[in-house]
Amino acid sequence: MPELPEVQTTLAGISPYLVGQKIKGVTVRVPKLRWPIPHNLAALLKDATIASIARRAKYLLFSTQKGTLIVHLGMSGRLQILKAFVPTEKHDHVDITLKNGTVMRYTDPRRFGAFLWTVNHPLSHPLLKALGPEPLQKSFNGQYLWQRATSKKISVKVFIMDSKVVVGVGNIYAAESLFDAKINPNRPAQSLSLDDCARLCVSIKKVLRAAIKKGGTTLKDFLGSDGSKGYFSLKLKVYGRGNLPCVTCFEALTESRLGQRSTAYCQHCQV
DNA sequence: AGTGCGGCCTGTCCGC
DNA sequence: TGCGGACAGGCCGCAC
């Protein structure tokens, strides 16, 4: 499931093949994603040149002179670059074909992803305008997090997964970051000290950077944008390891649910 | 305003 | 072997 590191990896994987290229045509086979793909997307993109591709949170922004294509990979979405003909399979919903013959193919079994179009500045789009800071930028720091946590009764795990607080921290990385910072995920956000918040910020940045470096944590749904099998070996310390021994103290990890999400942590190490 | 949760989907795994 | 149900998950949007 693409989290921020996977989206970043996808961006890096597809950019060299797409930026500066002119679009020959777009085929939409299944328009029913999280929201319907605009019915005229093919007409909008035909003959457009992809000037640049950027990432904001988990959204990919394809800029053209006509407007911006906003893509979200949802839970199971994947973008691949095809340099030769490959027959479509069941969940291949969109092809964007370039004049040079290269195809960017979107595959998404669960169809939680999105293809949207805007002629305005993409960051002013309703889905993007209220987003919190990027986790890797300097303004995301202990002071900021501590201020935002004031009077917040929700658990710190749910808090850091709120995209209005900080973007790109999904369930896996929230659990891993809290373990790294030695903070119990059940603690109310407002109970965190400034020092806790500073440690947590450092841990979030550390965990995300490590994952980006490894090319993203790769679960079964993800393939690299070049189509190669991408089982990267990022070792998760708590996520999915309920009842297994803590890597630090060897006590059994606790697994519970927080905000309808499975949460694993060490009751001994995380205070 | 802050919080909690339903819904969107399909593949996989479990128990009967 | 087949089948129903639980579960996984990002994130919007609604209800309290």
Side-chain angles (χ1 to χ4, degrees):
Chain A
M1 53 237 36
E3 294 217 27
L4 188 141
E6 287 84 350
V7 179
Q8 185 68 36
T9 300
T10 298
L11 172 63
I14 64 174
S15 289
Y17 301 98
L18 302 180
V19 174
Q21 299 297 325
K22 194 167 182 179
I23 295 170
K24 179 180 173 191
V26 177
T27 304
V28 177
R29 293 182 202 86
V30 180
K32 198 167 172 278
L33 302 184
R34 190 175 209 287
W35 297 280
I37 296 178
H39 66 278
N40 58 343
L41 185 71
L44 291 166
L45 284 174
K46 187 172 162 55
D47 296 326
T49 296
I50 300 170
S52 62
I53 313 176
R55 179 189 62 75
R56 171 69 173 117
K58 295 175 186 170
Y59 295 92
L60 290 169
L61 311 174
F62 297 75
S63 305
T64 77
Q65 73 277 21
K66 298 178 175 179
T68 303
L69 173 67
I70 302 173
V71 174
H72 196 292
L73 302 178
M75 293 289 315
S76 55
R78 179 174 35 133
L79 291 171
Q80 283 175 277
I81 298 295
L82 308 174
K83 299 170 100 174
F85 174 77
V86 177
T88 57
E89 294 183 37
K90 194 177 174 188
H91 302 297
D92 295 338
H93 306 314
V94 182
D95 276 1
I96 294 182
T97 304
L98 305 176
K99 295 274 189 197
N100 69 12
T102 298
V103 172
M104 181 182 82
R105 178 165 292 173
Y106 176 72
T107 307
D108 186 359
R110 278 169 250 185
R111 306 215 299 271
F112 278 19
F115 269 62
L116 301 166
W117 178 259
T118 182
V119 292
N120 300 315
H121 195 290
L123 299 185
S124 62
H125 188 279
L127 291 173
L128 285 93
K129 67 180 179 195
L131 293 174
E134 288 287 329
L136 297 179
Q137 77 190 21
K138 274 190 186 159
S139 59
F140 179 66
N141 55 37
Q143 185 70 37
Y144 164 82
L145 200 64
W146 186 67
Q147 279 178 358
R148 292 296 305 262
T150 306
S151 73
K152 285 280 199 304
K153 300 184 198 324
I154 51 170
S155 73
V156 59
K157 175 156 179 277
V158 171
F159 175 66
I160 59 172
M161 288 178 66
D162 182 347
S163 62
K164 291 190 287 302
V165 173
V166 59
V167 302
V169 183
N171 199 34
I172 297 172
Y173 296 112
E176 295 298 312
S177 300
L178 286 162
F179 177 78
D180 190 74
K182 302 187 192 305
I183 294 170
N184 187 306
N186 295 297
R187 278 179 61 185
Q190 62 178 357
S191 76
L192 298 193
S193 67
L194 180 55
D195 183 63
D196 289 331
C197 288
R199 276 199 339 275
L200 183 51
C201 279
V202 168
S203 294
I204 289 171
K205 289 171 194 277
K206 177 179 154 189
V207 167
L208 289 176
R209 278 207 190 93
I212 289 169
K213 197 173 174 185
K214 291 247 180 182
T217 303
T218 304
L219 301 186
K220 51 182 168 264
D221 285 323
F222 185 77
L223 290 173
S225 60
D226 62 353
S228 62
K229 273 259 175 15
Y231 266 84
F232 299 97
S233 56
L234 189 88
K235 49 218 171 291
L236 300 174
K237 294 179 177 171
V238 288
Y239 179 84
R241 295 194 66 246
N243 298 319
L244 292 172
C246 170
V247 297
T248 303
C249 74
F250 306 112
E251 285 194 25
L253 296 175
T254 303
E255 186 147 350
S256 62
R257 292 182 76 77
L258 216 39
Q260 284 94 255
R261 292 286 187 279
S262 65
T263 302
Y265 64 101
C266 176
Q267 287 191 320
H268 181 247
C269 295
Q270 294 174 257
V271 185

